[in-house]
Amino acid sequence: MAIPAPADTVISHDAGRDQLEYADLLGQFDQPGACVARLDPNLLVQQANQEFFRQFGGSSADVCGRAFCDLAHPSLRQPLKHQLGRLVDGSRRRFATHVVAFAAEGAPFTSALTAVPVRGETSRVASILVVMRSAAGFEDADVVTPHKKVLTEIEARILEGIAAGVSTVPLASRLYLSRQGVEYHVTRLLRKLRVPNRAALVSRAYSMGVLEVGSWPPKVVQDFVK
């Protein structure tokens, strides 16, 4: 399915530069490995190319009408929705990032995502053009899929506390544990995530998607709690 520019479409008020970027992104439509989709202002998939269908579902019936952000890792959905929403409301002209998404069979992969708004003749944003390409050099092996419950409830609360900078004694008091109990669970977390200390534990948890991006106080994605 081709994704032509709608009639009377401009890309932004600065039409010259943005028109070139739009043309460049649209030019990736037939390039191998490029997933291209048009989203409506509610961020639902309207149209996509065959590579997008192959990666996320296999047919237009499986993909069109789905919320685009639901294709991303759970920890990234809200930040992604927020940034794409800024394209819709006109407060951003372009958005580029790396995202972890899930293919149709549930396998995670890392993608370089670029999105630009497409404006109609009224100058309001009519849709969002999204291009996703495989991000070479990024490892997906450590990404925790939503089906993998890696933490107990108490480990999740302790990880949130560590990420918020809470030390052992206040954390023990908050969770009705002894100091030794907290240290025991911290040791288990270090072993599970294969890191040497608490700072590395927090970094690893964010990189694996266990902690929600853009959330304060830190919050463990509930999908990963047993």
Side-chain angles (χ1 to χ4, degrees), residues 203-223:
S203 296
R204 183 77 157 179
Y206 274 116
S207 70
M208 294 172 69
V210 175
L211 285 168
E212 291 182 3
V213 176
S215 175
W216 188 265
K219 183 73 175 174
V220 168
V221 176
Q222 195 60 35
D223 288 354

Side-chain angles (χ1 to χ4, degrees), residues 34-194:
C35 296
V36 184
R38 188 191 298 279
L39 316 180
D40 69 14
N42 293 317
L43 306 182
L44 302 179
V45 178
Q46 286 184 311
Q47 297 172 287
N49 67 350
Q50 289 302 318
E51 182 65 19
F52 194 96
F53 292 144
R54 185 193 66 78
Q55 188 73 267
F56 292 109
S59 71
S60 60
D62 297 321
V63 175
C64 290
R66 290 186 63 183
F68 176 76
C69 295
D70 286 351
L71 302 174
H73 191 280
S75 67
L76 302 177
R77 288 171 187 167
Q78 280 304 119
L80 183 59
K81 184 177 181 179
H82 173 71
Q83 295 299 336
L84 293 175
R86 293 184 65 195
L87 294 177
V88 174
D89 67 24
S91 58
R92 287 198 71 154
R93 292 175 39 180
R94 181 180 183 274
F95 173 56
T97 189
H98 285 91
V99 298
V100 177
F102 293 100
E105 68 277 9
F109 67 96
T110 304
S111 175
L113 178 149
T114 303
V116 295
V118 181
R119 298 181 185 273
E121 57 183 343
T122 63
S123 81
R124 298 183 64 179
V125 172
S127 58
I128 302 294
L129 181 69
V130 174
V131 176
M132 301 172 69
R133 296 189 64 85
S134 176
F138 283 77
E139 294 294 333
D140 299 324
D142 288 333
V143 174
V144 182
T145 70
H147 308 292
K148 191 173 182 181
K149 308 290 187 180
V150 294
L151 302 179
T152 64
E153 187 70 35
I154 192 65
E155 287 171 344
R157 302 293 80 81
I158 288 174
L159 178 57
E160 290 170 349
I162 293 172
V166 181
S167 59
T168 299
V169 173
L171 193 54
S173 177
R174 178 187 299 180
L175 298 174
Y176 304 102
L177 295 172
S178 67
R179 178 172 181 169
Q180 292 76 14
V182 170
E183 294 292 354
Y184 167 77
H185 288 293
V186 170
T187 299
R188 282 177 55 87
L189 284 167
L190 296 176
R191 288 174 179 169
K192 281 187 177 183
L193 274 64
R194 303 192 300 277

